[in-house]
């Protein structure tokens, strides 16, 4: 666990440093993609602003609705001050923020394809901070299990000294692979917005299954809160993927026409 980073007289929170580096990397990739596609304009900058603001709000407030009984939930002010910094909440907030920014600015173009590789790389970097500061995962007998100090918050396995799944390393690997694949797909998926759909679909499925080895609390039927959030989300995404498949949005890289001949 490395909760703080000392640079001379400065003491910086490691998690915040890597989140900041992730946001910086995502912004650079976004601008690079926008330039490549000839989409650098006021509207794209407004979309970035909406994503940053919405993501920050979503990440901080995502822990508000932790209980079905609203009386057990914290106030919005408490959720903002002591928020859980949920990545899923941040992504949802960023998406809503972009939609609102585009509506306010009167922009109707698709921006998701610019965000997809940017978000993947930003997430990979940001998760390094999570790996260094948070409970890694559930106990495992696999040879690559990691150990964390007993003082690690929300980590029962840390107290017993058990080896645990390096769940954040799994996600870093997934996000880096997604970034590479998205760069490969960007010239093969020509329908606007579909690159973003494919990224969201793949991450939703990955996140659902990686939750089985993360340290998050199970709340019902052996599933965690993120998994219950993801179940209906995956169903909606599956319908959306089916719609795109039937309309031939993915034929270029699936080579469906060649397979049918």
């Amino acid at each position: 666990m490395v909760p703080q980073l000392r640079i001379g007289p400065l003491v910086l929170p490691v998690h915040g440093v890597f989140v900041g580096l992730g946001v910086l990397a995502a912004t650079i990739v976004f601008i690079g993609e926008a330039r490549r596609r000839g989409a650098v304009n006021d509207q794209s900058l407004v979309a970035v602003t909406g994503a940053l603001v919405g993501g920050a709000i979503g990440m901080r407030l995502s822990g508000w609705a932790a209980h079905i009984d609203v009386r057990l939930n914290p106030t919005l002010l408490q959720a903002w001050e002591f928020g859980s910094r949920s990545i899923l909440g941040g992504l949802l907030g960023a998406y809503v923020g972009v939609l609102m920014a585009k509506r306010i600015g009167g922009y109707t173009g698709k921006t998701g394809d610019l965000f997809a590789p940017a978000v993947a790389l930003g997430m990979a970097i940001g998760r390094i901070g999570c790996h260094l500061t948070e409970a890694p995962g559930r106990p495992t007998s696999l040879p690559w299990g990691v150990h964390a100090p007993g003082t690690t918050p929300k980590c029962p396995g840390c107290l017993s000294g058990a080896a645990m799944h390096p769940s954040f390393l799994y996600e870093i690997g997934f996000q880096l692979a997604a970034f590479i694949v998205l760069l490969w797909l960007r010239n093969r998926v020509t329908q606007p917005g579909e690159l973003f759909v494919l990224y969201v679909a793949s991450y939703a499925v990955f996140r659902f299954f990686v939750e089985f080895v993360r340290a998050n609390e199970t709340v019902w039927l052996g599933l965690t809160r993120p998994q219950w959030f993801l179940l209906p989300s995956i169903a909606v995404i599956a319908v959306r993927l089916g719609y795109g498949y039937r309309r031939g949005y993915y034929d270029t890289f699936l080579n469906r026409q060649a397979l049918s001949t």
Side-chain angles (χ1 to χ4, degrees):
M1 294 288 290
V2 188
Q4 294 181 331
L5 177 67
R6 292 183 177 273
I7 304 177
L10 295 177
V11 179
L12 304 174
V14 168
H15 187 277
V17 167
F18 279 99
V19 168
L21 290 174
V23 171
L24 177 61
T27 302
I28 292 172
V29 172
F30 179 91
I31 293 174
E33 276 296 285
R35 286 179 175 173
R36 190 182 70 87
R37 295 171 181 259
V40 178
N41 49 45
D42 292 341
Q43 288 88 352
S44 61
L45 296 178
V46 168
V48 170
T49 302
L52 293 175
V53 174
I57 295 174
M59 185 175 290
R60 299 302 298 182
L61 297 184
S62 57
W64 173 74
H67 305 280
I68 296 177
D69 186 347
V70 295
R71 294 172 298 179
L72 300 177
N73 292 321
T75 66
L76 289 177
L77 180 59
Q78 291 172 330
W80 177 262
E81 292 178 343
F82 309 105
S84 59
R85 299 180 297 184
S86 165
I87 287 294
L88 291 178
L91 288 176
L92 179 60
Y95 179 69
V96 173
V98 170
L99 292 181
M100 293 181 64
K102 288 167 64 175
R103 179 172 291 276
I104 293 172
Y107 181 53
T108 58
K110 299 285 188 179
T111 57
D113 293 343
L114 303 177
F115 279 106
V119 170
L121 182 60
M123 291 269 286
I125 296 173
R127 281 307 198 190
I128 297 175
C130 297
H131 175 67
L132 294 174
T133 60
E134 298 182 19
R138 299 180 186 180
T140 179
S141 59
L142 294 173
W144 55 79
V146 297
H147 296 82
T151 55
T152 305
K154 300 179 180 180
C155 182
C158 299
L159 296 174
S160 63
M164 291 163 289
H165 282 281
S167 60
F168 292 116
L169 293 184
Y170 298 159
E171 183 158 355
I172 291 169
F174 168 82
Q175 297 293 355
L176 288 176
F179 175 67
I180 294 171
V181 172
L182 289 167
L183 293 182
W184 178 77
L185 285 175
R186 62 185 180 180
N187 292 325
R188 293 170 172 83
V189 179
T190 56
Q191 182 67 22
E194 293 307 306
L195 198 66
F196 183 73
V197 171
L198 291 171
Y199 170 68
V200 171
S202 62
Y203 179 60
V205 173
F206 166 81
R207 179 59 189 271
F208 180 85
F209 284 104
V210 83
E211 277 291 311
F212 286 112
V213 299
R214 289 192 61 180
N216 289 330
E217 176 191 9
T218 57
V219 292
W220 191 41
L221 298 179
L223 300 180
T224 65
R225 288 188 180 90
Q227 286 176 313
W228 283 111
F229 171 82
L230 286 165
L231 274 177
S233 302
I234 290 173
V236 173
I237 293 169
V239 173
R240 178 60 180 79
L241 286 174
Y243 171 82
Y245 179 79
R246 290 192 300 272
R247 295 182 68 89
Y249 293 165
Y250 316 129
D251 285 356
T252 303
F253 73 93
L254 289 177
N255 200 19
R256 188 167 66 178
Q257 292 179 342
L259 291 174
S260 62
T261 59

